[in-house]
Amino acid sequence: MPRIHFGDWVETAVDWLQSHLTWVFDIVNAVLDGMYSGVESVLGGGEPLLVAGILAVIAAWLRGLLPGVLAFAGLALIDSLGLWDDAMDTLSLVLVAAVITVVLALPLGVWAARSRRVSAQLRPVLDVMQTMPAFIYLIPGVMFFGVGTTPGLLATIIFAMPPGVRMTELGIRQVDGELVEAAEAFGTTPRDILLRVQLPLALPTIMAGVNQVIMLALSMVVIGGMAGAGGLGEQVYSAITQLKVGLAAESGVAVVILAMYLDRMTGALGERVSPLGRRAAAKLSALAGRARFAHYRPAGAVAVVGVVVLALVAGGLNLAGSGDAEAGAGTDVGKGKRISIGYIPWDEGTATTYLWKELLEQRGYETDVKQLDPGPLYSGVARGDLDFQTDAWLPTTHKAYWDKYGSQLEDLGSWYGPTSLELTVPSYVQGIDSLADLKGQGKKFGGKIIGIEASAGMMGTLNSKVLKAYGLEGEYKVVSSSTSSMLAELDRSIKKREPVVVTLWSPHWAYGKYDLKKLKDPEGAWGEGERIHMVGKKTFSQDFPEFSGWLKNFKLTEEQLASLEVAIQKGGAGNEKASARQWLDAQPGLEDKLAPVS
């Protein structure tokens, strides 16, 4: 069979859309981002416990007093974990995506229920939307709309829409045909049949579809976090990439609490709006007996009063707090100018990003920080959605990204180097000291070299040069995974004292944590060491002349970088900026050297 270059056609189509319909994408981006920002400002703008109280009152109105108390306890737990802002970002993303999805899904479901032809045409489209790996939606999303909430919203809408359409169609088709015929016999118009007969009777099924839409939307939070949507997804993604088991558990608990709240509330809302649901709820209340108090539901008017009072108190406290805000410390060079920083969750990138975040805020700038994968990060800086990043490994590791986006970027210079790429084994593996020693030892390592992301430049160098230079082709298979998976495999093997060979690089914290051997490269197959560069958008130096001067003179020694990384790790998740501050305080004079004020 001849090779079908379907991927090339898609690339051509995407390039054409980027060239000719940018104005459409800008409008969509502005609308979706505006909706998200509006919801997020409401949910995240008040005192956490007061907002939790509002959500608890809604829970009590829909399900009863005991569920309301449990809802408040769960939301208070999220606040105590320090994840309230992230949870509200996620809840905002889910609510906006769910509303848009339902608005689109209900008419499509009704249309499909009333037309066999439309149903047949929609079915394969819905199959593709639901079975296509959701990560794929992020690629054009980031290319068309840049990093941020919009790609995550669009991926969520596409992934969550099929059950909404299908359950709406199913509910209407399941309405007894005799009831519809009776309505027609009495002269009821098709519009009234739909609104007064079919939709009310199909409502339980439709609400089940709405429930599934919301659950699927919530399941997309991690994927949205990879595109810069923030929220709990970013925390989970950070925990995965950096092997932070505690943060993963805390973020997972927060996601579960939100999922349970949304699931129970949408289910109860279905009962409230459905005649059959209200009848079933009344029967349950009658059978409650002594437990009736726990199932007590406040009247709608009482719930509205409670929500309004709590909202007014939250708003008043917010206004009072904003009036007490202090001016930024340090010399006000930035005068409130905003700088957005992106970073890959590698230790040196995380450490230097939060170091500059602290320095910039001390100099009067406002900063936004987003954690991203390399692809979305380079795309975001090239588009101008992000201003700069500090962790560009050139010329090898990030070569593919530089080749694609280099013309749209500004190289702000290197701050560390030379680095080195290497294969590494635990020190207890005897007789393996160089790459040449690996030949003939494939069985010892299971014939595998544990690698990182397939897109990383060092993986290409390993496969195309290193294996060939030492005659390891065919004997070893390079396993592409992720940095976190590679480190997890290294940790597991060391604990079991099993032989393992992994890709690694210097600088890296693993050399401080584990007793490892860098395999020598007598043939020089890895090439010369790289340097870590800072990369900004094309107009970076024009937009931030003072800051660009600081960056071009920025250097860290290996000892300084190692101590900064240790300080960030010891501080734990969520305390990176405070840890950077403590590190600066322990380095007298360094702050003024890195960010001098003329």
Side-chain angles (χ1 to χ4, degrees):
M1 289 290 291
R3 172 75 162 88
I4 299 176
H5 297 278
F6 178 71
D8 294 339
W9 302 340
V10 174
E11 292 269 4
T12 301
V14 169
D15 290 341
W16 186 90
L17 290 171
Q18 282 184 299
S19 301
H20 296 84
L21 294 179
T22 303
W23 61 276
V24 175
F25 301 135
D26 290 342
I27 293 174
V28 173
N29 193 22
V31 171
L32 293 181
D33 192 58
M35 293 176 64
Y36 169 82
S37 298
V39 176
E40 193 277 331
S41 64
V42 172
L43 292 175
E47 179 67 24
L49 292 182
L50 289 174
V51 177
I54 292 173
L55 296 175
V57 169
I58 295 173
W61 172 63
L62 288 172
R63 290 190 60 87
L65 185 61
L66 180 59
V69 172
L70 293 176
F72 182 82
L75 294 168
L77 175 60
I78 292 177
D79 184 38
S80 68
L81 293 174
L83 295 171
W84 180 263
D85 291 338
D86 294 311
M88 292 303 101
D89 290 346
T90 295
L91 184 58
S92 302
L93 183 72
V94 170
L95 291 178
V96 172
V99 168
I100 295 173
T101 302
V102 170
V103 168
L104 296 174
L106 288 182
L108 286 174
V110 171
W111 194 13
R114 298 171 75 92
S115 171
R116 296 283 182 184
R117 179 178 297 178
V118 171
S119 178
Q121 293 174 347
L122 274 179
R123 193 174 299 118
V125 176
L126 297 175
D127 290 340
V128 171
M129 291 170 65
Q130 197 164 17
T131 56
M132 182 75 73
F135 291 95
I136 293 177
Y137 300 134
L138 291 182
I139 300 173
V142 171
M143 295 179 72
F144 293 148
F145 303 103
V147 297
T149 57
T150 302
L153 278 171
L154 289 175
T156 301
I157 291 168
I158 294 171
F159 187 72
M161 188 178 294
V165 176
R166 285 179 164 140
M167 295 296 277
T168 300
E169 179 185 0
L170 177 64
I172 293 176
R173 288 192 183 279
Q174 285 182 334
V175 173
D176 193 339
E178 293 183 357
L179 293 176
V180 176
E181 291 177 2
E184 290 174 343
F186 281 98
T188 308
T189 63
R191 177 175 176 274
D192 286 337
I193 290 175
L194 174 65
L195 296 178
R196 298 188 179 186
V197 178
Q198 292 175 311
L199 284 179
L201 293 175
L203 204 53
T205 305
I206 294 173
M207 289 304 298
V210 172
N211 178 272
Q212 289 302 302
V213 165
I214 293 176
M215 292 297 101
L216 287 175
L218 190 56
S219 72
M220 292 288 289
V221 295
V222 177
I223 296 178
M226 294 177 66
L232 293 172
E234 182 175 334
Q235 296 298 325
V236 173
Y237 176 51
S238 175
I240 292 171
T241 53
Q242 300 179 53
L243 292 179
K244 296 179 178 178
V245 180
L247 178 60
E250 292 174 351
S251 303
V253 167
V255 172
V256 169
I257 291 172
L258 285 184
M260 293 178 65
Y261 180 86
L262 292 171
D263 177 65
R264 304 306 190 269
M265 293 311 104
T266 52
L269 185 61
E271 291 181 359
R272 285 279 186 173
V273 300
S274 167
L276 296 177
R278 289 196 297 270
R279 191 178 306 164
K283 290 182 179 179
L284 181 64
S285 178
L287 295 174
R290 294 181 180 179
R292 183 174 298 175
F293 177 75
H295 293 278
Y296 166 75
R297 300 182 185 182
V302 175
V304 169
V305 170
V307 168
V308 170
V309 169
L310 290 172
L312 291 174
V313 173
L317 289 176
N318 195 37
L319 289 174
S322 63
D324 296 335
E326 296 181 358
T331 305
D332 189 13
V333 176
K335 301 186 183 302
K337 199 169 188 178
R338 184 170 295 276
I339 296 178
S340 58
I341 315 171
Y343 72 98
I344 308 166
W346 295 352
D347 290 88
E348 71 284 346
T350 303
T352 51
T353 294
Y354 281 96
L355 172 64
W356 276 112
K357 177 178 174 65
E358 171 62 19
L359 288 170
L360 287 169
E361 292 182 0
Q362 289 296 319
R363 294 297 185 257
Y365 290 91
E366 294 184 10
T367 61
D368 292 323
V369 172
K370 288 186 180 296
Q371 175 187 307
L372 298 161
D373 259 0
L377 175 60
Y378 274 88
S379 173
V381 177
R383 284 174 51 93
D385 301 318
L386 300 168
D387 292 312
F388 84 108
Q389 61 116 337
T390 65
D391 204 17
W393 285 57
L394 298 172
T396 303
T397 303
H398 291 164
K399 180 179 186 301
Y401 303 114
W402 187 259
D403 289 345
K404 184 171 185 178
Y405 299 109
S407 62
Q408 302 166 261
L409 301 172
E410 179 182 356
D411 187 353
L412 301 169
S414 66
W415 59 270
Y416 183 92
T419 65
S420 63
L421 305 178
E422 54 253 354
L423 292 185
T424 299
V425 298
S427 59
Y428 57 74
V429 178
Q430 300 297 319
I432 307 294
D433 298 304
S434 76
L435 293 172
D437 296 332
L438 290 174
K439 188 171 178 62
Q441 300 293 322
K443 289 185 178 180
K444 177 183 288 188
F445 300 99
K448 296 186 296 184
I449 296 173
I450 309 301
I452 56 173
E453 293 81 1
S455 59
M458 74 175 301
M459 292 291 283
T461 303
L462 175 61
N463 283 296
S464 64
K465 295 181 180 179
V466 177
L467 296 184
K468 184 177 180 180
Y470 292 94
L472 304 179
E473 293 173 308
E475 184 178 359
Y476 289 87
K477 177 184 178 182
V478 178
V479 180
S480 300
S481 57
S482 65
T483 302
S484 59
S485 298
M486 176 272 291
L487 292 171
E489 179 66 16
L490 177 63
D491 182 77
R492 186 194 68 81
S493 299
I494 289 175
K495 288 177 178 176
K496 299 176 70 175
R497 292 191 66 82
E498 294 178 346
V500 64
V501 55
V502 302
T503 55
L504 210 55
W505 52 91
S506 300
H508 197 284
W509 58 264
Y511 287 112
K513 181 176 181 179
Y514 306 111
D515 189 6
L516 302 173
K517 287 192 294 186
K518 299 179 184 180
L519 298 187
K520 298 175 183 177
D521 179 20
E523 300 293 333
W526 282 114
E528 297 182 2
E530 297 183 274
R531 303 195 74 86
I532 306 178
H533 289 243
M534 296 160 292
V535 172
K537 62 183 182 180
K538 193 67 175 177
T539 60
F540 184 86
S541 292
Q542 300 173 22
D543 295 342
F544 308 104
E546 186 87 18
F547 181 33
S548 66
W550 298 342
L551 287 179
K552 289 175 181 177
N553 295 317
F554 175 54
K555 304 287 181 185
L556 286 182
T557 65
E558 186 169 356
E559 292 76 15
Q560 287 174 322
L561 177 58
S563 63
L564 176 58
E565 289 179 350
V566 169
I568 296 291
Q569 286 197 356
K570 285 184 177 179
N575 299 310
E576 293 88 352
K577 181 174 174 291
S579 299
R581 178 70 263 164
Q582 293 176 1
W583 182 82
L584 281 170
D585 291 340
Q587 312 284 326
L590 183 60
E591 181 173 345
D592 291 331
K593 180 180 178 181
L594 296 177
V597 179
S598 55

